[in-house]
Amino acid sequence: MFRIQSKIDTSAPEFQKQKEEYLKILTTYKERLASVTRGGSEQAVKRHKERGKLLARERIDLLVDKNTPFIELSQMAAIDLYNNEFPSAGIVTGIGLIHGKEVMIVANDATVKGGTYVKESIKKHVRAQEIAMENRLPCVYLVDSGGVFLPEQANVFPDKYDFGRFFFNQARLSAEKIPQVAVVMGSCTAGGAYVPAMSDETIIVRNQGTIFIGGPPLVKAATGEEVTAEELGGGEVHTMISGVADHLAENDVHAIQICRNIFESIKRHEYQPLPKTPVEEPLYDPEELYGILPVDLRKPVDSREIIARIIDGSLFHEFKEKYAPTLVTGFARIMGYEVGILANNGVLFSETSLKATHFIELCTSRNIPLLFLQNITGFIVGKQYEHGGIARDGAKFVHAVANANVPKFTVIFGGSFGAGNYAMAGRAYEPRFLFMYPNAKISVMGGEQAANVLITVKEDQLRAKGQELLPEEREKMLHTILKKYEEEGSAYFSTARLWDDGIIDPVDTRKIIGLSVAISQNKRYEETKYGVIRM
Ligand code: COA
């Protein structure tokens, strides 16, 4: 492979200015991240600790192997929603190692509204299980939750991917021989009781964990029976009488140790052996990304400059370098793992789509995971291109991405607009993981384009009635649409709603993608079959 030769002058004032601007974006991101990972209010945290309980992230720290990375997912879920009263949507999910095995961990944060579930908490829990299924990861549920957040019941209870899906998934995961382990460290009420009940193995903490279908107030109201929570469904009841749990722990630390012990006898699935070469740091400092990434999306960025700061040794075997240059394709290694990279370098044309389709076929035939680096305004428009069959060729690209059965990973480093989002393995195309950078933007089209379309439609409507759009009305419309797109297009808006798996610091991309490829090895890559491709 050849080393990418960077054309960036890092001492140039333009680079320095851009870096300064990016660092402001990054500071905001880090402050917001620190704020959500603190969990609930100071008072709630204090009360939780006074009860002798560890916080959700402290529990995870103890559970995973010492000095090993934990990839936390969707840390900013529910940000800017519910008056910011659900930091991280009240649930921590992520992948860590237990006795050397990659495990999906789902931990309720009881300091956030008693660990109850709103729509985004449910999406996060279900997404964690989906990742577990796709990558054959055992699951550990650290349960400490009051069940659904009752005022939001209509948004969390009845639909296909709502609360009930947790237990459906647990049954399916267990049937696939993917271990399910629950540690009950607090409340586990009503439907939530099925998390431990449907696990392969369950631990409960004495005088702290409770499991019941109806809590004491409900029992009293229904039957008149007066009973304490511990008598109704505490640790002793479930390990000695009901058999709903299997191990009785004295406290959080003890429960976590039992959980780790369970993993001593669980074998690691390594179904897809991938060749791994020694890791080489990129030739160029990844921190230089801050001076290169598009803060202003109108400014073109050569994506090779991004690739050079992500891949091992900045070594890249570019494919069809001279053909269809608005998409860079090629092979590289990240943390020793081979990947096929597709990175936007402009608008998508017919020939770009053909190049991409060819490249995806190469990767699927060689079992090489695909990394999509998105900065895309969409497919080219205009009579010439429609007549040339841009929709037909774009369809080939979308078809190849949809059917590619090697793991796909997507990082949005700039804009993600229109059908470009689809072709470049947007959320609907099931990348194993999708991450955004804090500067990234995502929407059906850019704000200005959307404003122009809507204003043109309005003008046409008025013209048909013999009227016209007044300049001040036009200005108002433009302003409103731009504002809406600005807000709804931000990475925070996306991540709050689980359209991605989290916002990441660009310098962490190497590590995160390397770990993601390693995780994907737990399940054998399936053969790729293509359907009818329009010619
Ligand atoms: N729906 C909505 N809000 C709930 C809730 C629920 N199911 N359970 C708890 N909350 C809220 C409380 O109103 C409180 O909100 P606030 O901070 O704005 O005052 C917050 O969560 C913490 O609750 P609190 O009872 O003060 O904390 P706790 O740690 O002493 O107890 C629970 C937590 C979960 C054990 C307890 O609140 C409880 O039993 N809740 C009801 C559980 C239930 O019956 N769920 C059935 C739903 S399927």
Side-chain angles (χ1 to χ4, degrees):
M1 288 192 201
F2 297 120
R3 289 192 203 277
I4 297 178
Q5 295 303 314
S6 175
K7 296 187 181 68
I8 302 274
D9 175 4
T10 54
S11 59
E14 199 195 340
F15 177 90
Q16 294 299 335
K17 188 168 166 279
Q18 148 97 31
K19 188 170 172 179
E20 254 172 55
E21 268 191 61
Y22 202 90
L23 289 177
K24 282 187 213 152
I25 295 174
L26 200 68
T27 305
T28 306
Y29 159 69
K30 289 195 170 163
E31 283 170 2
R32 301 201 82 188
L33 188 60
S35 156
V36 295
T37 52
R38 276 196 288 271
S41 67
E42 260 178 51
Q43 201 191 355
V45 170
K46 187 164 168 274
R47 205 157 53 116
H48 186 86
K49 288 189 163 174
E50 280 167 1
R51 290 171 172 169
K53 293 162 86 175
L54 295 171
L55 297 172
R57 289 182 178 83
E58 292 173 344
R59 287 169 173 165
I60 294 172
D61 265 358
L62 267 185
L63 179 61
V64 298
D65 297 346
K66 285 214 167 5
N67 302 320
T68 57
F70 174 70
I71 310 187
E72 191 175 329
L73 301 167
S74 297
Q75 292 158 301
M76 296 194 184
I79 197 160
D80 298 329
L81 298 169
Y82 314 100
N83 297 320
N84 276 320
E85 283 183 349
F86 280 86
S88 300
I91 188 166
V92 184
T93 62
I95 300 156
L97 291 180
I98 307 182
H99 285 294
K101 285 147 253 187
E102 280 123 356
V103 178
M104 174 59 77
I105 302 169
V106 176
N108 300 117
D109 183 350
T111 68
V112 178
K113 297 282 182 199
T116 52
Y117 283 80
V118 286
K119 187 181 161 90
E120 293 69 23
S121 340
I122 290 176
K123 268 189 122 174
K124 201 165 157 177
H125 189 125
V126 170
R127 171 71 185 143
Q129 291 178 314
E130 185 179 74
I131 293 170
M133 183 63 103
E134 284 174 347
N135 299 281
R136 282 197 73 88
L137 302 179
C139 300
V140 171
Y141 305 93
L142 302 179
V143 188
D144 198 344
S145 162
V148 303
F149 183 72
L150 291 169
E152 287 286 318
Q153 70 88 20
N155 291 323
V156 293
F157 172 63
D159 211 353
K160 183 171 175 184
Y161 294 106
D162 282 352
F163 203 80
R165 193 75 185 186
F166 299 175
F167 322 117
F168 173 89
N169 284 343
Q170 270 185 256
R172 291 292 177 111
L173 285 157
S174 183
E176 287 290 325
K177 312 233 171 340
I178 302 175
Q180 303 291 297
V181 177
V183 190
V184 181
M185 312 175 98
S187 203
C188 194
T189 309
Y194 290 106
V195 175
M198 296 193 62
S199 287
D200 303 347
E201 221 165 318
T202 291
I203 304 148
I204 185 165
V205 181
R206 190 198 294 273
N207 294 328
Q208 185 177 306
T210 52
I211 308 171
F212 28 66
I213 300 296
L218 188 72
V219 171
K220 187 165 181 220
T223 67
E225 189 184 7
E226 289 208 27
V227 61
T228 67
E230 199 59 24
E231 285 166 348
L232 186 66
E236 288 192 5
V237 169
H238 288 309
T239 51
M240 296 174 193
I241 304 172
S242 74
V244 174
D246 313 299
H247 308 275
L248 183 61
E250 296 306 319
N251 52 40
D252 279 12
V253 176
H254 186 209
I256 287 165
Q257 187 54 51
I258 298 173
C259 183
R260 284 188 54 82
N261 293 350
I262 289 173
F263 277 85
E264 280 181 296
S265 68
I266 290 176
K267 286 177 212 63
R268 181 170 201 260
H269 286 279
E270 203 167 336
Y271 283 104
Q272 185 66 44
L274 295 177
K276 193 169 186 292
T277 52
V279 174
E280 195 185 333
E281 291 302 312
L283 187 62
Y284 306 97
D285 184 355
E287 290 210 2
E288 289 171 5
L289 287 171
Y290 301 145
I292 300 167
L293 289 165
V295 174
D296 175 357
L297 291 182
R298 282 167 300 195
K299 203 182 117 198
V301 180
D302 183 354
S303 52
R304 287 179 196 86
E305 298 290 354
I306 317 262
I307 296 170
R309 287 156 181 87
I310 292 177
I311 61 177
D312 288 9
S314 306
L315 285 161
F316 193 47
H317 176 58
E318 191 164 345
F319 174 74
K320 278 189 187 305
E321 181 187 347
K322 305 271 182 245
Y323 182 80
T326 58
L327 185 76
V328 175
T329 53
F331 299 96
R333 291 200 173 80
I334 296 187
M335 305 299 280
Y337 293 108
E338 196 171 6
V339 288
I341 299 178
L342 295 95
N344 298 118
N345 233 13
V347 177
L348 297 168
F349 293 89
S350 275
E351 58 273 25
T352 331
S353 305
L354 300 180
K355 172 175 169 177
T357 308
H358 185 169
F359 185 69
I360 291 167
E361 283 190 330
L362 280 183
C363 292
T364 52
S365 69
R366 296 176 192 175
N367 263 345
I368 298 173
L370 289 163
L371 172 63
F372 292 84
L373 298 175
Q374 279 200 20
N375 179 25
I376 182 65
T377 46
F379 284 89
I380 190 78
V381 296
K383 187 171 152 190
Q384 176 194 347
Y385 303 104
E386 300 293 351
H387 287 197
I390 181 70
R392 182 198 55 204
D393 291 330
K396 293 187 180 78
F397 186 2
V398 174
H399 188 105
V401 173
N403 282 312
N405 264 341
V406 292
K408 293 166 271 190
F409 308 100
T410 304
V411 175
I412 304 181
F413 72 87
S416 177
F417 300 112
N421 165 288
Y422 307 156
M424 289 296 289
R427 194 62 148 180
Y429 290 79
E430 298 196 345
R432 296 281 173 106
F433 296 98
L434 187 154
F435 297 105
M436 312 259 298
Y437 284 172
N439 60 296
K441 296 263 188 289
I442 181 164
S443 52
V444 64
M445 57 176 79
E448 275 174 41
Q449 290 91 327
N452 284 332
V453 171
L454 289 168
I455 289 170
T456 308
V457 170
K458 188 85 201 159
E459 283 172 340
D460 289 349
Q461 277 175 347
L462 291 172
R463 204 169 298 120
K465 288 191 228 158
Q467 298 165 356
E468 65 177 290
L469 192 65
L470 298 172
E472 57 271 25
E473 284 170 351
R474 188 180 194 286
E475 202 49 40
K476 194 172 161 216
M477 228 178 130
L478 181 70
H479 177 77
T480 313
I481 297 165
L482 284 180
K483 188 163 172 281
K484 183 175 164 67
Y485 269 71
E486 183 63 28
E487 264 171 38
E488 295 184 358
S490 92
Y492 297 105
F493 194 90
S494 163
T495 213
R497 290 158 182 79
L498 280 289
W499 297 346
D500 54 58
D501 294 308
I503 303 179
I504 60 170
D505 181 340
V507 299
D508 293 333
T509 312
R510 263 175 76 59
K511 192 176 71 192
I512 291 174
I513 297 300
L515 288 168
S516 304
V517 179
I519 287 164
S520 76
Q521 282 184 284
N522 286 284
K523 187 170 178 190
R524 183 169 280 284
Y525 300 174
E526 285 166 27
E527 195 197 335
T528 294
K529 296 188 200 115
Y530 296 108
V532 177
I533 295 183
R534 181 171 298 280
M535 291 298 173

